[in-house]
Amino acid sequence: MDVSFQAQTGSTDWTAESLTAVNLQLREVSLTSVLRWSLERFAPRICLATSFGPQSIVLMHQVSLLRPETTVFYLDTELLFPETYALRDRLQEQLGLRFTRVTADFGVDEQGMRFGPQLWARDPDQCCQLRKVAPLRRFLVGQQAWITGVRRSHTSERAEASMVEWDPANQLIKLNPLVRWDSRQVWDYLRRYDLPVNTLHAEGYPSIGCRPCTRAVPPGEDPRSGRWPGFQKTECGIHGPARPRLLRLGGRPLEEQAG
Ligand code: SF4
């Protein structure tokens, strides 16, 4: 059952203390209520990031019901699978959302000329920085909050994630409404609402990113082992660790809070 709550709706300041308080208030609240609060609190300067992964589809479905005009964006590295682009088109039609395509400053061919061919095979961190992290940072300028599909159980780097946190890299609020969900809850939701998913999942791809950096995973192996095989890398870099900061919204400068 939904719990009615009011959290920071009149304030423009965020501190470590107010973030802790709002996370406490949101702890027992349904996904729909968290998203409704987020959209009411930050719209129109709020956007939803999608990777077209299972958790993203849960969020897109909810946002399509609550506020379908919300900006929903994806990072198009130009190296996604054809199946991912097909899913994008299907979701756009089925959910009535309009996706904003965010790209790097240059295409894959130009990247090859500047940095050498197949940068992903030599330095995937730099490749992700050029094709994901930097475009994201540019896109988020002017937004007050972004919604992500981060879940604590996804990777060890995400184990400490909070529902509402300050994103120090991009200087805005980051909302992770599914932070406590596990994979089973996500898939139960997708089945309950008969939502489409990437057809590659049925071919053994539990986590799907760019073509050169994604492989199928044999049953029983870590689902994330299919990403950047051969490298220690488990994250593309857009979800860094969260640290408390004092945020002042409304066009005034942002400050950092010690500690
Ligand atoms: Fe490049 Fe691979 Fe990162 Fe995609 S996932 S941006 S191909 S390194």
Side-chain angles (χ1 to χ4, degrees):
M1 189 166 77
D2 285 359
V3 177
S4 64
F5 64 95
Q6 292 209 329
Q8 299 293 324
T9 49
S11 172
T12 56
D13 291 343
W14 290 95
T15 63
E17 290 73 26
S18 62
L19 283 172
T20 299
V22 79
N23 276 302
L24 278 173
Q25 286 184 283
L26 295 176
R27 195 169 48 185
E28 305 300 333
V29 172
S30 72
L31 173 62
T32 300
S33 293
V34 172
L35 282 168
R36 185 179 291 122
W37 171 78
S38 302
L39 294 167
E40 287 176 356
R41 173 67 179 81
F42 295 105
R45 293 170 68 188
I46 184 171
C47 53
L48 167 62
T50 179
S51 62
F52 304 108
Q55 54 281 336
S56 296
I57 297 168
V58 171
L59 294 173
M60 285 190 284
H61 180 242
Q62 286 278 313
V63 165
S64 75
L65 300 173
L66 291 167
R67 191 175 183 276
E69 66 271 32
T70 301
T71 298
V72 183
F73 74 96
Y74 66 104
L75 297 169
D76 189 353
T77 60
E78 302 175 30
L79 291 160
L80 303 179
F81 286 89
E83 290 86 349
T84 303
Y85 292 114
L87 176 62
R88 172 200 60 188
D89 296 343
R90 191 169 167 199
L91 285 165
Q92 184 158 273
E93 186 179 335
Q94 184 165 330
L95 299 180
L97 298 169
R98 292 194 63 79
F99 298 129
T100 300
R101 177 174 176 259
V102 178
T103 62
D105 275 346
F106 40 79
V108 174
D109 289 346
E110 188 176 340
Q111 178 170 298
M113 286 189 277
R114 290 193 194 188
F115 298 93
Q118 299 189 354
L119 181 59
W120 49 83
R122 292 176 286 109
D123 189 347
D125 283 344
Q126 186 181 23
C127 186
C128 280
Q129 177 68 31
L130 294 167
R131 309 208 71 74
K132 292 185 175 182
V133 178
L136 173 73
R137 187 159 303 174
R138 283 195 298 273
F139 180 74
L140 290 178
V141 170
Q143 299 283 345
Q144 288 185 341
W146 66 307
I147 306 169
T148 86
V150 163
R151 291 189 291 109
R152 286 180 188 152
S153 59
H154 228 149
T155 66
S156 57
E157 288 86 350
R158 302 180 188 185
E160 303 296 322
S162 299
M163 182 94 71
V164 184
E165 54 190 29
W166 175 237
D167 175 351
N170 296 300
Q171 297 284 295
L172 78 172
I173 288 290
K174 183 177 178 184
L175 301 151
N176 307 312
L178 299 176
V179 73
R180 288 192 304 275
W181 284 40
D182 60 24
S183 179
R184 182 187 54 77
Q185 289 173 286
V186 170
W187 283 95
D188 283 350
Y189 183 101
L190 298 174
R191 279 189 284 270
R192 189 181 324 136
Y193 293 99
D194 196 23
L195 292 163
V197 296
N198 198 315
T199 55
L200 288 173
H201 292 307
E203 297 176 32
Y205 292 79
S207 176
I208 302 164
C210 296
R211 289 192 317 275
C213 303
T214 306
R215 68 166 173 82
V217 175
E221 280 192 21
D222 177 1
R224 292 293 290 187
S225 67
R227 303 292 296 276
W228 301 284
F231 291 92
Q232 288 293 314
K233 185 175 172 67
T234 58
E235 293 275 0
C236 63
I238 66 173
H239 297 300
R243 293 185 295 276
R245 293 288 191 278
L246 176 64
L247 166 65
R248 192 170 293 277
L249 299 174
R252 287 177 288 169
L254 302 171
E255 299 173 21
E256 290 196 355
Q257 175 171 297

